[in-house]
Amino acid sequence: MNTQEFLTTILPRQGHYISAELRTKGEQRFWIHTVFQTVDELAAHCADTARKGAMYHACASYNDDAYDRFVVGDKGVRTQHNALWCRSFWMDIDVRDDGKSYPTLAAAAAAAKEFCQRIGMPKPLAVDSGSGLHLYWPMTEDVPVDQWRVYAGKLKGLAIACGFKADPTRTADQASVLRPVGTFNTKYDTP
């Protein structure tokens, strides 16, 4: 699956789309947001800039106001308030030896499989994030964020109740960003 196919599968069919690049200047880290009118434009941008830095996609789509107010680096573009639609649920599972995460990718994948079986969720679309897994459950229809947030909150609660070590801040946050297929995790010496 390439970047365009992936984003078309998980993103809503309406609204505006946002890429987020995490940049570093000295000790300072900051986001550069770019707003797109189509998923194809977002996918092309992600593919073109993947090796320059940490590239992410916003998991929701955003209203017209986000596009009209676009300013490079504007933190007000990708907010919960501006999010409009979602077409998937997602989870971020970290792999690191810290006791709060899974020690290996295999352990994370096994735990994800067990979690899905336990709560009756279908098999997710799994993406190797370079330091863990991003799991997606695409839907057939776009869902307004207010409705999405109710069910995402329940998914988050189930993960906590089952002891599944998903990042709780990502699971129920419609303004989340995750790394798209076809890009690289540049936080390490070898992307």
Side-chain angles (χ1 to χ4, degrees):
M1 179 176 283
N2 65 32
T3 307
Q4 195 274 336
E5 292 167 329
F6 167 72
L7 292 172
T8 299
T9 300
I10 64 147
L11 291 177
R13 293 187 176 109
Q14 55 193 313
H16 289 87
Y17 309 95
I18 298 177
S19 72
E21 297 171 63
L22 188 57
R23 299 276 180 89
T24 304
K25 185 174 185 177
E27 296 293 315
Q28 183 182 13
R29 291 172 46 157
F30 57 96
W31 291 104
I32 299 293
H33 292 100
T34 308
V35 182
F36 301 93
Q37 292 184 335
T38 69
V39 172
D40 291 344
E41 292 171 347
L42 170 63
H45 178 74
C46 288
D48 287 346
T49 58
R51 289 194 180 268
K52 293 180 185 174
M55 171 59 65
Y56 300 85
H57 66 87
C59 296
S61 67
Y62 291 78
N63 62 33
D64 291 343
D65 184 50
Y67 189 79
D68 294 341
R69 293 184 321 103
F70 168 68
V71 176
V72 172
D74 181 4
K75 293 180 182 178
V77 172
R78 184 182 51 85
T79 64
Q80 291 184 358
H81 175 74
N82 280 343
L84 193 59
W85 299 96
C86 294
R87 205 173 105 215
S88 59
F89 293 99
W90 53 82
M91 289 184 154
D92 181 12
I93 295 86
D94 290 328
V95 171
R96 61 174 81 95
D97 198 13
D98 64 1
K100 297 183 273 183
S101 307
Y102 293 98
T104 66
L105 197 57
K113 181 178 181 179
E114 180 182 326
F115 172 70
C116 290
Q117 289 173 342
R118 184 171 178 187
I119 68 167
M121 286 287 281
K123 182 179 176 181
L125 174 62
V127 176
D128 182 342
S129 71
S131 61
L133 290 173
H134 293 162
L135 304 178
Y136 297 88
W137 290 270
M139 297 181 279
T140 57
E141 302 291 328
D142 295 351
V143 176
V145 294
D146 291 343
Q147 184 180 356
W148 176 89
R149 200 171 31 248
V150 170
Y151 294 102
K154 291 178 185 213
L155 180 61
K156 173 182 170 177
L158 284 168
I160 292 168
C162 292
F164 183 50
K165 300 175 184 177
D167 180 345
T169 59
R170 289 300 126 244
T171 304
D173 176 10
Q174 69 267 23
S176 287
V177 294
L178 294 173
R179 192 171 293 105
V181 165
T183 63
F184 297 88
N185 185 334
T186 59
K187 294 178 185 176
Y188 305 97
D189 291 337
T190 303

